[in-house]
Amino acid sequence: MAVSSSSWELPLVAVCQVTSTPDKQQNFKACADLVREAARLGACLAFLPEAFDFIARDPAETLRLSEPLGGDLLGEYAQLARECGLWLSLGGFHERGQNWEQTQKIYNCHVLLNSKGSVVTTYRKTHLCDVEIPGQGPMHESNSTMPGPSLESPVSTPAGQLGLAICYDMRFPELSLALAQAGAEILTYPSAFGSVTGPAHWEVLLRARAIETQCYVVAAAQCGRHHEQRASYGHSMVVDPWGTVVARCSEGPGLCLARIDLSYLRQLRQHLPVFQHRRPDLYGHLGHPLS
């Protein structure tokens, strides 16, 4: 069943893998180079990972480097989208929200730009990563970040109906089921997975989300050492609705490409109509449809 058309007529997406540092301009240059390469290769949509803007050394530096959505950095990415003529999934922007002055905390915000550089939608990460994994070091995202208040309905893109999530969200299947029931054909999990959880869980979780929702899953990832205190697993990939990894980045910064075949997705859903077979009378709605 792992048959997916590779016709040049199908929309092409690019998944960008980077190693962000605390240097925002260096990070922008690295991301912009990959986006321009994606455009040159014919992609209609390029995905950047969580923390594409920067990865700081501590919460204080994270807050200091953060910006509002209307700041200079997003303006540069809007210009990049216009210049390249493609859509950009900016997978986790450190956003100073409207309540910044009161809270002194930020949002982890997934921003989707269209090819004119306009913000189509934003999703603020709802599940914050407060974990302590032996051998990986503690992660307390809530020290500097507030959880988002809601999920966002999937939006129409040149590649298909796109549902937005971020990294740790992939551990909560209710979210992916809600997006799928709301019409998502592509789920995206921009991430910065650690060196211990990465080898154990990264691919397994992404393939599981694809199989259970019968969606394409696109996962742009951070890779390598960001600074002396943090490193990321990498292995950016695209998974098709059958659970097959159809594109994967090699080690280090770079990009991979995949065709999105929605006719294949619809055929698979017709052959294996799991959403028609659910029994909410027995176990409730595991992921309520979005309003």
Side-chain angles (χ1 to χ4, degrees), residues 7-90:
S7 167
W8 63 269
E9 296 177 349
L10 298 174
L12 184 70
V13 300
V15 186
C16 301
Q17 182 165 283
V18 300
T19 306
S20 291
T21 72
D23 187 332
K24 291 163 72 174
Q25 278 308 305
Q26 175 184 305
N27 299 335
F28 175 74
K29 182 181 184 304
C31 290
D33 286 347
L34 290 176
V35 170
R36 292 188 179 105
E37 177 68 3
R40 187 186 69 80
L41 294 170
C44 64
L45 175 56
F47 293 84
L48 292 174
E50 181 181 33
F52 68 94
D53 50 352
F54 64 86
I55 290 183
R57 297 175 184 87
D58 54 52
E61 186 175 47
T62 295
L63 295 174
R64 179 173 62 80
L65 293 175
S66 64
E67 296 186 19
L69 288 180
D72 292 342
L73 188 60
L74 259 293
E76 291 185 82
Y77 276 98
Q79 174 58 36
L80 180 65
R82 289 191 294 270
E83 170 198 326
C84 294
L86 48 59
W87 288 51
L88 292 178
S89 161
L90 305 176

Side-chain angles (χ1 to χ4, degrees), residues 10-14 43-47 85-90 110-115 118-122 153-164 183-188 216 218 258-262 266:
L10 298 174
L12 184 70
V13 300
C44 64
L45 175 56
F47 293 84
L86 48 59
W87 288 51
L88 292 178
S89 161
L90 305 176
H110 190 157
V111 184
L112 183 67
L113 301 179
N114 65 18
S115 57
S118 300
V119 175
V120 177
T121 191
T122 57
S153 297
V155 295
S156 178
T157 76
Q161 292 289 324
L162 182 65
L164 305 187
E185 297 164 323
I186 307 165
L187 302 176
T188 181
Y216 280 89
V218 179
R259 300 278 179 186
I260 303 298
D261 188 346
L262 296 182
R266 296 180 188 117

Side-chain angles (χ1 to χ4, degrees), residues 195-214:
S195 57
V196 173
T197 53
H201 298 160
W202 171 250
E203 182 175 328
V204 175
L205 285 169
L206 294 172
R207 294 180 69 190
R209 297 295 83 85
I211 293 166
E212 73 196 2
T213 62
Q214 299 176 319

Side-chain angles (χ1 to χ4, degrees), residues 130-154:
D130 288 352
V131 301
E132 299 199 17
I133 307 295
Q136 188 169 286
M139 173 72 71
H140 298 293
E141 191 173 12
S142 64
N143 285 348
S144 61
T145 305
M146 295 182 296
S150 63
L151 305 184
E152 298 299 326
S153 297

